[in-house]
Amino acid sequence: MTTTADAEAAANELMPLAEYLGSVLRRLRALPPLDLDLTQAHGNVLANDVLAPHPYPAFDQAAIDGYAARWEDLAAAGRIGSHPSFGAFEGGLRPVRLNVVGDLGAASWRPVRLTPGTCFSVAAGAPLPLGADVVVPVHWTDQGMAAVEILHAPKRGSGVRRAGDELPVGRVLASAGSYVTPAMVAVFAASGIGHVVVRPSPRVVVVATGDELVDVGRPSQPGQVVDANSHALTAAAVEAGALAYRIGICDDDPESLRGLLEDQTLRADLIITTGGTGTGPGDMLRRVLSRRDHGRGAVEFTDVALCPGAALGFGTVGGEEVPVVCLPGEPGAALIGFEVLARPVIQLLAGSEPVFRPSVKAHLLETVSSPGGLREFRPAHVAERRGGGYTVQPLAGGPYTLSGLAEANGLLVLGERVTAAAAGSTVDVLLLDRRR
């Protein structure tokens, strides 16, 4: 009979998760950078800071539709009496009359100059005439064509965008380690940048191993287990920013396993396997990958103080020594293993900073217990409090982790020394990127 003391003693022999992660991540480097076209760069991580080579806007321009004028010519506009068309203005208005000497649109390119007592009708985005320092909005005028009456004088500089107002030359547009977003692509393009240097999205191959596995589309029978893992882990890798490829099921034949992995090293920056990480008679993956073939690397399997799924593997395979992450076969444990190990590896290869999910402190809504000596990651639902901060509701964990994860938008983290967390206490929660 196993006692609590026996369980704690066994847990003390496991490697702490933080120590294990540090040992893995120190062995990896970001993928070599590539120069890519803007549309191809979207979703990748910048390898270098990107500086503005040109000002934005590139020239002085009208920010609104209206009349470009000299502010000195408008100074007489003021509130003194009534006006039949603009009676809503408090106190009435004294209009200023200016000659409209031309129209300027966004495609106008010939330089023009204002003279005293004149203005140009301008569209938003049109180049500003030389000498103009204000654009009067249309609704502050009588909308005249040959001449216009201006009923109110805006502040000097109103309605005008000067060259470099938004982005001056030399401004850091985005820092190394940032994901290229659609808005970032627009900023780069507007600043005259057509290519950027990025880290490529890691190519990730996902393999499920085990003689017992069958493909999806039918229920399990005795001696059979539906392969949920390779589908789920491929989706998780895509969500993490990788180019992921599901190879499917590989049986436990050593030669088949070695051959499949060797073939995949030709197109992979990372291989993720699931199943066979334990020490049981059917755990062929661990026995095959633990062997070092001709000095070309091996995978080390470690029992980590992690719940669920303590047995994890990391190393390299093939002549190119492609990194490989080995996750447990139980689906809930495989997905937790992905979150704590495989996802940070993908982020590091992609050059992303930081590599870990964001975490918050949250108010625990329900008392939970946790196995001593293990760092438990439990599915949870996180919500923002109306007055600030977060609350967290634990969901199904332990043997029901998979069903709990389907509802979760966070992972409740209970440390190795925590055997129980009381309702009302403050706990750590990893935020999952779920679009809901």
Side-chain angles (χ1 to χ4, degrees), residues 277-362:
T277 61
T279 56
D283 291 322
M284 184 60 64
L285 182 91
R286 184 167 186 156
R287 279 181 276 171
V288 170
L289 294 189
S290 295
R291 295 176 52 188
R292 184 177 297 274
D293 294 326
H294 309 296
R296 293 190 296 183
V299 176
E300 181 177 355
F301 289 83
T302 306
D303 293 329
V304 182
L306 170 67
C307 178
L312 300 173
F314 179 78
T316 60
V317 293
E320 298 298 320
E321 297 198 349
V322 173
V324 59
V325 167
C326 301
L327 302 177
E330 198 282 317
L335 284 170
I336 295 296
F338 180 91
E339 285 295 330
V340 301
L341 177 59
R343 189 178 189 280
V345 168
I346 291 172
Q347 298 299 299
L348 193 153
L349 293 175
S352 178
E353 300 173 9
V355 298
F356 297 109
R357 295 274 198 188
S359 64
V360 297
K361 299 286 187 181

Side-chain angles (χ1 to χ4, degrees), residues 392-416:
V392 57
Q393 174 64 51
L395 299 173
Y400 306 107
T401 295
L402 180 62
S403 57
L405 283 170
E407 303 176 42
N409 64 356
L411 291 176
L412 170 61
V413 184
L414 300 169
E416 290 85 349

Side-chain angles (χ1 to χ4, degrees), residues 205-282:
V205 167
V206 179
V207 182
T209 66
D211 289 337
E212 75 281 9
L213 295 180
V214 294
D215 225 329
V216 297
R218 52 178 172 168
S220 298
Q221 303 292 331
Q224 297 180 339
V225 176
V226 173
D227 170 30
N229 290 4
S230 66
H231 296 276
L233 295 174
T234 302
V238 170
E239 185 185 65
L243 300 174
Y245 308 93
R246 175 186 173 268
I247 299 305
I249 300 169
C250 179
D251 60 31
D252 286 327
D253 175 66
E255 292 306 315
S256 297
L257 186 57
R258 289 192 191 96
L260 183 145
L261 294 177
E262 186 75 34
D263 289 343
Q264 297 309 314
T265 60
L266 300 176
R267 67 163 178 169
D269 299 307
L270 173 67
I271 296 173
I272 298 175
T273 70
T274 174
T277 61
T279 56

